Amino acid sequence: MTSSTVTSSQSPRPPRPNLAFRRLRGQRSPAEFAAAVRRAAREIGERVSCDARYIGRVEAGEIRCPNYAYERVFLHMFPGRTLTDLGFAPRSSVRGRAARTTEDHAPPPRTMSPVRTPSETRGARRPYEKPDPYRPQEPQDPHDPQDPYHPHEDHEESDVLRRAFMTRGGVTMAVVSLGPLGFVHDASAADRPTRRTGASEAGALEEAVRRIRLLDDRHGADGLYRRAAAPLRAAYALLDAGATRQTTADRLHSGAGELAISVGWLAHDSGRFDDARSHYSEALATARMTGDPALEAHAFCNMAFLARDAGRPREAVRAAQAAGRAAAGLGSDRLMSLLALREAGGWAGLADRTGCERALARAQALFERGCSDADPEWMSFYGEAELEGLEAQCWSTLGDWPRAARHARRATRLQDPHFTRNTALYTAELADDLARGGRPDEAAAAGMRVLGLLDQVQSSRIQAMLAGTARVLLPHRRASGVSEFLERHASAPRT
């Protein structure tokens, strides 16, 4: 075992912030910049698990020199610059790395790395669809040495909140316009001196979260995701400006975290899984930095759902259980019921029928205890219809099509017409379960009802489900209504 170059009498040098890298990020949020890094990686055939937390660690100086994969990506993003120009230390000077010979200084060539498509992610697929064994899967983030599903103190997460607005006038930058989604534009704001944030800004942030959720309920995520980035940037500008009172600061942190989750959900539902993961991680960092168990439970709840959809069922179970630990003291049986359903989805993906049934029974028992004042505002979607719909997805994943269809049919009957997107979602689930259960005529009829809603709803998730149903129905063209459904589906516009 080699000895360290630092003697016992020396104290470790505190990290020096990487200001050069911070300047290169500009006005983009850490999550947006992380998405740009992932896109650049795909352009050159690399695969990096970059998220807002990694960007925060780089800017804080905790990552003094990136690994070779990140080095290739950064040099591709900023041609003509060296690692030193980007604010990194020379590789040979980083403690714990031996000096390399001249031929070792060049990054090793990338081999056998398939070039990714220009799309942002691989896109949505049915939960636990078997992945191609010859396609490289997303690796575990090598920059996250701690288990995120267990509570721990992590001061580096505060770096996630160091936004591009720190040097650009705080609140004045927070009054960006996004029409019906959020904050109202004030053309004179740039001419006013910076002031600390008050209750009115906190209220505007909370209202932005409500509006985004309402629009998603009615129209789906695809048309909203890009537009929702502006209020998220504005939210962190408010945080950087500071608040007049601690109660206002708490509201701002909670609102910014909830907004990050809402934007993450829009990315999730529109098939941008990498972006969704980054936004959810940002919300989780905010929750842990401020000691907000309600926000932490919400972030883990959505991370469990994302893991399920991305084909990582064991991660889904662990995230749901972590959410349960965070929510244990909140006093909301309905929240604990939803988290049990998230866990059930993970067990179903692991083909653990017993584990799934136990979690479903727990979800039902908790749901039957009814609502309470402790139920979070964001859970307005969770009623009996959602309970039935999520249970349908579990049975579908386990391959019990008749049982899945029964629950999906109940969900469609119970759904409030106000939630147009969920009506389309449950009906698409019903169509798929009927098709796979050998009832093509009923599946086609349900599929036609979904197609009739697509002029109001834009959701990649629903479109992917319909596409899967259409493939299953192809051999049954002669069944009643199937040919008509296939023709109409083929001619429907894609978002």
Side-chain angles (χ1 to χ4, degrees):
M1 179 175 176
T2 59
S3 60
S4 170
T5 58
V6 179
T7 66
S8 59
S9 62
Q10 293 175 308
S11 60
R13 184 174 56 187
R16 180 180 300 173
N18 187 336
L19 301 180
F21 197 85
R22 172 64 189 84
R23 284 192 294 270
L24 291 170
R25 176 159 67 84
Q27 295 188 18
R28 288 174 287 186
S29 74
E32 291 172 323
F33 192 69
V37 172
R38 295 193 300 271
R39 285 193 293 271
R42 286 192 289 272
E43 290 172 3
I44 61 173
E46 286 290 354
R47 181 74 176 174
V48 297
S49 299
C50 187
D51 58 13
R53 180 177 176 179
Y54 178 80
I55 299 301
R57 293 184 65 200
V58 170
E59 292 179 5
E62 295 177 18
I63 297 177
R64 296 178 57 203
C65 185
N67 65 27
Y68 283 120
Y70 276 103
E71 177 181 349
R72 279 187 284 265
V73 175
F74 291 150
L75 297 184
H76 171 68
M77 292 178 69
F78 304 106
R81 289 182 168 92
T82 65
L83 283 183
T84 304
D85 296 332
L86 301 182
F88 293 108
R91 192 173 300 280
S92 59
S93 71
V94 177
R95 186 166 63 91
R97 295 179 185 268
R100 298 171 183 264
T101 59
T102 302
E103 60 267 25
D104 285 341
H105 282 300
R110 181 74 171 178
T111 60
M112 301 301 290
S113 177
V115 178
R116 300 292 177 191
T117 63
S119 60
E120 289 202 21
T121 66
R122 291 191 292 272
R125 60 172 181 245
R126 284 188 59 80
Y128 311 121
E129 178 181 338
K130 295 296 184 183
D132 183 348
Y134 301 104
R135 183 176 192 171
Q137 301 301 304
E138 182 173 352
Q140 181 180 357
D141 187 350
H143 309 290
D144 187 4
Q146 304 190 64
D147 183 352
Y149 304 115
H150 290 277
H152 62 273
E153 290 292 326
D154 191 350
H155 300 290
E156 74 185 16
E157 288 172 333
S158 63
D159 295 324
V160 173
L161 302 180
R162 294 178 182 173
R163 318 295 295 188
F165 299 89
M166 292 180 71
T167 59
R168 285 300 192 92
V171 174
T172 62
M173 290 293 291
V175 292
V176 295
S177 171
L178 201 66
L181 285 190
F183 303 106
V184 178
H185 176 66
D186 185 345
S188 65
D191 299 326
R192 293 200 301 264
T194 299
R195 61 182 177 84
R196 294 174 71 80
T197 307
S200 60
E201 287 85 3
L205 172 56
E206 291 161 352
E207 183 60 26
V209 175
R210 294 187 189 101
R211 290 181 181 181
I212 289 175
R213 289 173 182 162
L214 177 63
L215 290 170
D216 175 50
D217 290 340
R218 292 178 177 174
H219 306 296
D222 285 13
L224 298 176
Y225 174 58
R226 292 300 184 195
R227 298 169 62 201
L232 184 58
R233 287 194 297 269
Y236 283 99
L238 294 175
L239 289 180
D240 285 334
T244 54
R245 297 180 179 179
Q246 185 59 46
T247 54
T248 302
D250 292 342
R251 288 177 62 191
L252 287 172
H253 278 94
S254 177
E258 290 292 344
L259 187 56
I261 292 173
S262 292
V263 176
W265 165 248
L266 296 178
H268 179 177
D269 196 44
S270 56
R272 300 174 174 93
F273 289 175
D274 290 339
D275 289 357
R277 189 180 183 93
S278 187
H279 287 303
Y280 291 160
S281 296
E282 194 159 4
L284 181 61
T286 303
R288 286 182 164 172
M289 184 181 67
T290 57
D292 187 339
L295 180 59
E296 181 172 348
H298 191 185
F300 271 131
C301 177
N302 279 46
M303 292 172 82
F305 198 12
L306 175 64
R308 189 207 72 165
D309 283 355
R312 298 191 294 267
R314 196 171 300 281
E315 179 182 327
V317 171
R318 295 173 64 215
Q321 291 172 344
R325 289 191 293 272
L330 300 178
S332 173
D333 291 323
R334 285 290 169 92
L335 174 56
M336 297 301 289
S337 173
L338 176 61
L339 298 179
L341 282 169
R342 296 284 187 248
E343 183 180 337
W347 290 123
L350 291 168
D352 187 335
R353 189 182 185 97
T354 300
C356 180
E357 289 178 337
R358 288 174 178 168
L360 288 174
R362 192 165 72 252
Q364 287 279 2
L366 289 163
F367 185 88
E368 289 171 2
R369 295 181 184 178
C371 301
S372 74
D373 292 339
D375 295 340
E377 180 182 353
W378 59 266
M379 286 189 62
S380 59
F381 71 93
Y382 185 56
E384 194 173 358
E386 180 74 2
L387 176 69
E388 294 287 346
L390 291 175
E391 183 164 354
Q393 292 174 11
C394 289
W395 295 119
S396 178
T397 302
L398 290 168
D400 191 338
W401 313 116
R403 197 166 183 176
R406 286 198 301 273
H407 285 282
R409 196 183 301 278
R410 289 177 198 160
T412 60
R413 291 171 178 169
L414 292 165
Q415 181 56 51
D416 184 337
H418 166 80
F419 294 96
T420 311
R421 175 202 168 273
N422 280 4
T423 299
L425 176 66
Y426 302 148
T427 310
E429 176 69 37
L430 174 62
D432 198 70
D433 294 334
L434 291 169
R436 296 173 189 274
R439 297 158 74 177
D441 52 341
E442 295 180 57
M448 290 292 284
R449 293 197 296 274
V450 179
L451 289 171
L453 293 171
L454 290 186
D455 59 338
Q456 305 174 52
V457 176
Q458 295 181 345
S459 170
S460 296
R461 174 191 302 274
I462 295 171
Q463 291 190 351
M465 292 172 70
L466 272 186
T469 302
R471 288 193 294 270
V472 175
L473 290 178
L474 276 173
H476 306 280
R477 282 183 174 274
R478 295 183 180 180
S480 175
V482 172
S483 181
E484 181 185 1
F485 164 72
L486 292 174
E487 290 173 4
R488 184 171 171 186
H489 176 263
S491 64
R494 304 289 189 267
T495 58

